Amino acid sequence: MKKKKMSLTTKRSITGYVFILPWLAGFLIFYLRSLIMTANFSLSEITVAVGGGYDSKFVGLQNYLYAFRAHGSFKQVLTTSVGNMLIDVPLITFFSLLMAMLLNKKFKGRTLVRAIFFLPVIMNSAAITAAIDMSRQMLAGGLSASSAEMAGAASGVNVMYYVEMFSSLGLPSGVLDYIVAAVARINDIISASGVQIIIFIAALQSIPGSMYEVAKIEGATAYETFWKVTFPMVMPHIITNVVYTVVDNFANSEIVEMAYDTAFTEVNYGLSSAMSLVSTAIVCVILVIVCGFIQKRTFYYN
Amino acid sequence: MKKIRFFKPKQKKLNRSMAGNTLLFVLMAICGVFMALPIVMIVNNALKPLDELFQFPPKIFVRNPTLENFSDLFVVMSDSWVPFSRYIMNTIIITGLGTVGHVLLASLAAYPLAKHNFPGKNILFSMVVLSMMFSWTVTQIPTYMIVSWLHINNNYLALILPAWQFGMGLYLMKQFMEQLPDSLMESARLDGATEFKIFWKIVMPNVKPAWLTLAIFQFQQMWANTGSMYLRDEQLKPLQFALQQIVGGGTARAGASAAVTFIIAAIPIIFFLVCQSNVIETMTTSGMKD
């Protein structure tokens, strides 16, 4: 048979393809195709045809040019979305790592506490949001509204006073802006980090216990153990989480919302595709830079 | 507690870490309370009798808990045009197949991406990452067109098949499999295990935390799917759709919809609890000597 003539590497790569095949087939059909279609749409003018279907007319880069030159708010929304993302991603990553380390400790009712931290992910689903909105409407400003008020009252500390104090201390305004923005979105950060916490918990659990044992025997302090054992071992998953956070953040950002509105309320599908492609490209560039930066410092177990 | 401390030689150090732990737990508790608020509200609302639901200003905690809302819900359910068990079965099929299929296919594909070398691997992987960038809101129309091109419109498959190919699962599984020591697979290969056997008996048990995590995400996504875009026949629609219809009933069904909200939230939470309590520390390097 042919089998004997194949080298080990070809044989291995064939096994690889076989394993990937079922996934790849669907991926090509559903995702690659829709990607290509979107790219195609972005270069054409789409009109809904009489009697169903659509007509497309090739217009070249006109949609892109319109988005950048003539559209009222595209550029502005794009910059804010990207800016917000750059603030949120590091915060979410570190917050979730911290939380995962706490939740990975052994204590009674650990699973329950983990579930509480996963709640925002569950609550974010459209159904629950709709239901909560509904009950909020019924109550004419029910609990959720009143708790928001309470939070507002509690954080009624004069923030500007502190901001001015720090800036007069000579803290660079960029850093200060970042801190202010970070504090302002604590709630968003907590509620956006449910999935990341779970990924980090899984990551922490796959660190072999013998590593900690060795560290303990060698007399490492908790601080040293974190930086020398835990941190390098979860490093690959920091990338995972950064990627997830970027994707998640981007999916809920204003720019995507804008593209969605353009498609479904203004029925300008070509422009919407162009917008989403531009923003996707920008996010990809950011992701490549960030991941490249982390990857260099990543330690792989093998 | 005291007994253990008494026998430990380094009493001082232990105390210090205890103080640190207490501080961290306080921090965690504060964050936790914030996150738990909505669920407290949902549970209490579900138990409130009608007059308390409409009370103004609203109270967080229920005074006279009843199960009235649930019995209301059953009345609404038994009135429905399609028997309610049908919705439940639809959900089990869609969510079950969607979750299991996705976890399986993503892990299968992730294994060679993480542990084998073959031409085209990097291109494939960057394509996966790229596909994650595309928010579903934007690709909704192309996806719809593909679904109708495949003639699986108005079929369970319209929801299940696209769900199998989410990029995130593959990405997650690949990251975790990459961390497994190569020698683990090497030794199995020397013992004559086929690649599939290595995958099933060695890789999968060792990345159990990862695939349980993935199952949680996927379940959550599939559960929240109403399928209203693809499924036209009432007999095919999932439970989520039926429940949301009840919530949409407005003020007249306030009690029933409070109960519905509780159910919609409770099921993913239960699934989460079951999965998480099954995650035990894996011993990736047990039996390794390097």
Side-chain angles (χ1 to χ4, degrees), chain B residues 28-40:
Chain B
M28 201 164 75
I30 292 170
C31 293
V33 165
F34 240 100
M35 289 181 167
L37 256 182
I39 194 73
V40 171

Side-chain angles (χ1 to χ4, degrees), chain B residues 111-126:
Chain B
Y111 171 53
L113 277 180
K115 286 294 170 193
H116 290 240
N117 267 319
F118 54 88
K121 172 177 150 175
N122 288 330
I123 298 174
L124 202 69
F125 188 61
S126 27

Side-chain angles (χ1 to χ4, degrees), chain A residues 13 17 26-27 31 54 114-115 118 127 139 190 195 198 205 208 233 236 240 243 247 256 269 276 287 302, chain B residues 35 53 115 118-119 132-133 137-138 141 145 165-166 171 175 179-182 213 217 240 244 272 276 279 285:
Chain A
S13 55
Y17 288 128
F27 181 77
Y31 286 85
Y54 67 94
R114 279 184 193 170
F118 193 65
L139 297 171
I190 293 176
V195 170
I198 303 298
Q205 271 158 355
M233 289 302 282
T240 318
V243 170
V247 171
V256 167
Y269 205 73
S276 57
L287 211 62
N302 286 306
Chain B
M35 289 181 167
L53 266 177
K115 286 294 170 193
F118 54 88
M132 295 195 307
M133 299 291 127
T137 46
V138 178
I141 291 177
M145 283 159 71
Q165 267 75 41
F166 286 142
Y171 189 79
Q175 290 295 91
Q179 286 224 306
L180 290 180
D182 278 336
T213 308
F217 302 159
Q240 185 76 230
Q244 286 195 21
F272 177 89
Q276 275 289 309
V279 175
T285 45

Side-chain angles (χ1 to χ4, degrees), chain A residues 22-97:
Chain A
W23 189 85
L24 189 66
F27 181 77
L28 291 179
I29 292 172
F30 283 102
Y31 286 85
L32 206 66
R33 222 181 115 98
S34 75
L35 249 161
I36 293 167
M37 274 164 124
T38 310
N40 195 9
F41 286 160
S42 75
L43 296 173
S44 357
E45 200 186 309
I46 309 285
T47 40
V48 178
V50 187
Y54 67 94
D55 288 327
S56 72
K57 200 177 84 194
F58 185 77
V59 290
L61 289 174
Q62 207 184 305
N63 284 321
Y64 292 91
L65 292 179
Y66 179 80
F68 276 105
R69 289 203 186 140
H71 195 278
S73 52
F74 175 70
K75 275 188 285 187
Q76 189 203 342
V77 171
L78 185 65
T79 358
T80 357
S81 301
V82 172
N84 283 347
M85 184 188 293
L86 291 180
I87 294 171
D88 283 349
V89 168
L91 285 173
I92 291 176
T93 312
F94 281 105
F95 174 76
S96 51
L97 180 58

Side-chain angles (χ1 to χ4, degrees), chain A residues 100-150:
Chain A
M101 288 183 51
L102 292 179
L103 294 175
N104 199 35
K105 289 196 169 130
K106 282 205 174 83
F107 56 89
K108 265 211 170 131
R110 180 170 75 159
T111 337
L112 206 71
V113 178
R114 279 184 193 170
I116 289 174
F117 279 83
F118 193 65
L119 276 179
V121 179
I122 292 168
M123 297 297 158
N124 263 342
S125 78
I128 306 267
T129 330
I132 288 181
D133 276 352
M134 192 70 217
S135 56
R136 203 187 302 180
Q137 276 167 25
M138 288 189 316
L139 297 171
L143 174 71
S144 27
S146 67
S147 75
E149 270 165 36
M150 263 158 55

